[in-house]
Amino acid sequence: LSVGYGEIKFWETGGGRLLKTLPFVTEQQTGFRNTNNLAVSPDGSWAALCEREQVFLFDIDKLDLVDIFMQGTGAWLEQAVFSPDNRYLYVAARDEEKFDNYFIKKIEVATGNVTTVHEWKEPYAGTHDVGHLAVSADGSQLIVFDALAGSRLINLKTNKLVKSFKETPCLYA
């Protein structure tokens, strides 16, 4: 997979032959922020693309756009990661109007149902972004790596903060 200005390209593994190019309308085409994150499901069947206020879900096997989530929510989407069982997509975002309000949303891939997992406030310093997300192998915990504020470990069964690691800010890989 590769992502460019308003399109996603599906490439043959190993051979490098272009299989399909799909256009999609993004905020980027209207002069806003570009695509933030491309997440691929653990089984390789789904790809999710975060782009400002929307998440594009692609079926990799069918080489097609399946759905668009979170349109018009006022969320500035930053990162995404699939659960180990491919059922959920976790998305880190901040409020578009109040940049110091952050939250994690859970999207049920089969239904598109969106729920809030966790919320927090951090002073916005102009470059303050969620750098990475990771879900534990058993799907019970989510770690949020924050560019300036450190990391947060969240229990996905209770949606509660387990621990905040503010003394170890994340460095981008």
Side-chain angles (χ1 to χ4, degrees), residues 1 10 39-41 44-48 58-64 66:
L1 297 171
F10 296 86
V40 177
S41 64
S45 61
W46 301 105
F58 296 93
D59 183 321
I60 294 175
D61 296 327
K62 294 179 183 172
L63 307 176
D64 206 5
V66 176

Side-chain angles (χ1 to χ4, degrees), residues 106-156:
K106 177 174 78 172
I107 302 170
E108 189 171 353
V109 174
T111 66
N113 186 38
V114 179
T115 56
T116 300
V117 172
H118 185 70
E119 298 180 72
W120 74 97
K121 285 184 178 263
E122 287 289 339
Y124 180 68
T127 59
H128 186 50
D129 292 324
V130 171
H132 303 283
L133 294 176
V135 178
S136 62
D138 65 0
S140 68
Q141 297 184 83
L142 174 78
I143 191 156
V144 180
F145 300 99
D146 193 303
L148 296 178
S151 303
R152 306 173 75 76
L153 181 64
I154 301 165
N155 181 316
L156 292 174

Side-chain angles (χ1 to χ4, degrees), residues 65-96:
L65 176 65
V66 176
D67 212 337
I68 301 173
F69 303 119
M70 295 186 66
Q71 289 177 302
T73 60
W76 192 292
L77 307 174
E78 295 185 345
Q79 293 292 324
V81 66
F82 283 91
S83 63
D85 62 5
N86 305 308
R87 289 182 55 210
Y88 303 107
L89 178 68
Y90 295 96
V91 179
R94 66 175 175 232
D95 187 297
E96 192 171 307

Side-chain angles (χ1 to χ4, degrees), residues 147-169:
L148 296 178
S151 303
R152 306 173 75 76
L153 181 64
I154 301 165
N155 181 316
L156 292 174
K157 297 195 186 313
T158 65
N159 294 342
K160 302 285 184 196
L161 178 68
V162 175
K163 185 168 184 171
S164 179
F165 305 91
K166 291 193 181 279
E167 65 280 0
T168 56

